[in-house]
Amino acid sequence: MEIVACPDCDLLQSIPPLPPGGKARCARCSETLAIERVDALDRPLALTVAAAVAFVVANTTPLLGLSAVGREASTTIMGGAYEMWLQGSELTAVMVAFCAVIAPAAHIAFLLTVLLAVRRPPAPRWVGEMLRSAHLLQPWSMTEVMMLGILVALVKLAELATVIPGIGIYAAGAFIALLSAVLVTFDSREVWKRVEWAVGTPPERAAGEAALQGDR
Amino acid sequence: MSAAAPDAAARSVDHAPPALEHAQSAAQAGLVACRVCRLLSRPARLANPGNCPRCGARLASRRPHSIQYTWALVIAAAICYVPANVLPVLTTTAFGSTESDTIMGGVIFLWVSGSWPLALIVFVASVMIPLGKLVALAYLLVTTQRGSVRNSHHRTRIYYVVELVGRWSMLDVFVDAFIVALVQLQPLMSVEPGLGVAFFMTVVVLTMLAAQSFDPRLIWDAGDDKDLRHA
């Protein structure tokens, strides 16, 4: 029986053993506390590797080409940020590079490292730090927002130019799909069970148990 | 093991919701949940809990100064919201003539040229979502500071939506970046980014940080115990 505090409303509660695919919701605010994932470590690893490959392809091959008034231009994702920099919007260029390339790259790399490191428990402590960094980066990994942005940009340009999709854009689409699959199958709780404790060894009785049983 | 066992069990899909009369929050029980690895620990003093024994992260019962930081970020974002919409985001130079567009200008262009679904998407992402986030965060801040106990469920939902939806307002920044990247066909046609983009991006970043700095558990603290208010 696992004792947790709901991260959204702080209510102390115990999570009963869950069937595969079963979900535990907070008794007070209904936010999801835990999901029992099937194949918690192998499946996300395979998906993360695939996502990493898709990401590399998406960034190294041309995303789109544009043909207009007899001239041609094409760009990669970094190319978009670079052009913003050249045009004087340095701050925006840095943020675009961060949200579209750096954050997703670091996020996937960290998840991959964590999943590989916990295959032989106990994993060293830095693995825990890396998982935390991955969680912090997640909201800043905005590849799907970028994709919609490209779509809107294409529509705006459709009248004056012919647009040629490159390999990069399909790879980016694959990356988004694979990343979503990773996030659905990844189970942080399983990872934390396999990480070495910072201070000594896990105690016999969890801190929450005493409180739930009325002791002080 | 004590005979009187106050307990609250998380609902799993097939169980009925349990009674909550004896339930308490971790803070009320003198426990702290690690914000990184979710481990519950009992610190010697709740005011200065030290580090998590499992992952070593700094423990804090609530996000420190959550209300102050969130207000500061919301106000800063609101200030940037005006230039973001007033200043031009793109300046197009085609065949010798120059034209500047603001965010709304881009929306109108899409609408007029027939792509009204995209016009709607850009309008929602660039105008409605940032404004909605600012209003929602201000509402959450005011109700939490007043110690309101009503509508806690709705307020938690609102917070959840703000967090989920916030990143989509980056849409226009990406649109502008890719237009600028592709339309560099001097001397016939070229596009330059305007100052509006930088301000707009700042609004998005600030509102995202504001949502992250607000601690949703504060919404429920007022109901748990009138004195347990962390500002």
Side-chain angles (χ1 to χ4, degrees), chain A residues 123 186 212:
Chain A
F186 189 88
L212 277 193

Side-chain angles (χ1 to χ4, degrees), chain B residues 180-203:
Chain B
V180 166
L182 286 171
V183 188
Q184 294 299 329
L185 309 162
Q186 288 88 349
L188 293 169
M189 201 188 308
S190 70
V191 176
E192 264 177 31
L195 263 181
V197 185
F199 276 105
F200 185 74
M201 184 209 73
T202 309
V203 171

Side-chain angles (χ1 to χ4, degrees), chain B residues 128-206:
Chain B
M128 304 246 65
I129 290 182
L131 205 56
K133 279 175 73 175
L134 289 174
V135 169
L137 284 169
Y139 167 69
L140 288 175
L141 283 165
V142 168
T143 52
T144 307
Q145 276 182 300
R146 282 171 39 178
S148 166
V149 295
R150 291 186 302 173
N151 295 322
S152 302
H153 276 101
H154 285 150
R155 287 188 280 152
T156 307
R157 276 287 170 294
I158 289 174
Y159 176 74
Y160 187 66
V161 169
V162 166
E163 263 206 309
L164 201 65
V165 138
R167 51 221 290 272
W168 287 96
S169 10
M170 271 294 215
L171 183 68
D172 211 71
V173 177
F174 286 113
V175 172
D176 297 332
F178 279 99
I179 293 183
V180 166
L182 286 171
V183 188
Q184 294 299 329
L185 309 162
Q186 288 88 349
L188 293 169
M189 201 188 308
S190 70
V191 176
E192 264 177 31
L195 263 181
V197 185
F199 276 105
F200 185 74
M201 184 209 73
T202 309
V203 171
V204 178
V205 169
L206 289 175

Side-chain angles (χ1 to χ4, degrees), chain A residues 70-94:
Chain A
R71 303 270 304 270
E72 275 183 24
S74 76
T75 186
T76 61
I77 301 179
M78 265 315 224
Y82 184 58
E83 197 60 53
M84 284 293 256
W85 179 282
L86 289 179
Q87 295 290 335
S89 280
E90 283 109 357
L91 193 63
T92 313
V94 169

Side-chain angles (χ1 to χ4, degrees), chain B residues 99-111:
Chain B
E99 200 182 296
S100 283
D101 259 334
T102 62
I103 295 180
M104 270 315 284
V107 172
I108 293 170
F109 170 79
L110 281 170
W111 184 279

Side-chain angles (χ1 to χ4, degrees), chain A residues 3-19 21-33 63-69 71-77 79-81 83-84 87-89 91-93 95-96 99-100 125 128-129 131-132 135-136 138-146 148-157 159-160 163 189 192-193 195-200 205-216, chain B residues 1-15 17-18 20 23-29 31 33 35-42 52-57 61-63 90 92 95 106-107 109-110 113 115 118 121-122 153 156-157 159-160 163 167-189 191-195 197-199 201-202 204-205 208-209 212 215-221 223-224:
Chain A
I3 318 277
V4 294
C6 172
D8 288 319
C9 75
D10 210 28
L11 186 72
L12 268 184
Q13 49 208 300
S14 58
I15 300 182
L18 295 168
K23 219 189 247 199
R25 286 187 180 282
C26 172
R28 178 159 69 174
C29 71
S30 303
E31 291 303 317
T32 307
L33 289 178
L63 213 56
L64 293 168
L66 186 102
S67 178
V69 295
R71 303 270 304 270
E72 275 183 24
S74 76
T75 186
T76 61
I77 301 179
E83 197 60 53
M84 284 293 256
Q87 295 290 335
S89 280
L91 193 63
T92 313
M95 271 317 286
V96 168
C99 298
R125 249 227 305 147
E129 295 286 319
L131 180 58
R132 178 185 170 221
H135 282 313
L136 283 176
Q138 197 172 311
W140 298 96
S141 169
M142 295 189 196
T143 315
E144 65 278 18
V145 182
M146 182 197 76
L148 189 59
I150 292 174
L151 181 68
V152 175
L154 291 188
V155 172
K156 278 191 173 179
L157 294 172
E159 283 189 358
L160 44 83
V163 176
R189 291 156 69 219
W192 283 113
K193 285 184 198 164
V195 174
E196 204 175 70
W197 275 54
V199 177
R205 202 176 181 215
E209 276 179 42
L212 277 193
Q213 274 141 23
D215 310 341
R216 281 291 175 272
Chain B
M1 242 172 263
S2 157
D7 64 342
R11 263 182 268 169
S12 81
V13 204
D14 355 302
H15 293 186
L20 286 180
Q24 49 185 311
S25 70
Q28 284 177 313
L31 299 171
R35 73 210 140 92
V36 176
C37 70
R38 309 268 190 104
L39 181 76
L40 276 172
S41 349
R42 178 184 298 285
C52 175
R54 177 159 72 179
C55 70
S61 185
R62 296 284 178 270
R63 285 180 208 165
L90 285 180
T92 314
F95 309 106
V107 172
F109 170 79
L110 281 170
S113 62
S115 329
L118 285 179
I121 289 175
V122 176
H153 276 101
T156 307
R157 276 287 170 294
Y159 176 74
Y160 187 66
E163 263 206 309
R167 51 221 290 272
W168 287 96
S169 10
M170 271 294 215
L171 183 68
D172 211 71
V173 177
F174 286 113
V175 172
D176 297 332
F178 279 99
I179 293 183
V180 166
L182 286 171
V183 188
Q184 294 299 329
L185 309 162
Q186 288 88 349
L188 293 169
M189 201 188 308
V191 176
E192 264 177 31
L195 263 181
V197 185
F199 276 105
M201 184 209 73
T202 309
V204 178
V205 169
M208 281 183 72
L209 292 174
Q212 283 176 14
D215 193 333
R217 294 172 292 191
L218 296 171
I219 299 175
W220 297 91
D221 282 343
D224 283 341

Side-chain angles (χ1 to χ4, degrees), chain A residues 35-59:
Chain A
I35 303 180
E36 190 67 22
R37 311 266 193 217
V38 181
D39 207 7
L41 295 174
D42 286 331
R43 197 180 294 186
L45 179 60
L47 290 167
T48 309
V49 171
V53 170
F55 183 77
V56 169
V57 174
N59 275 283

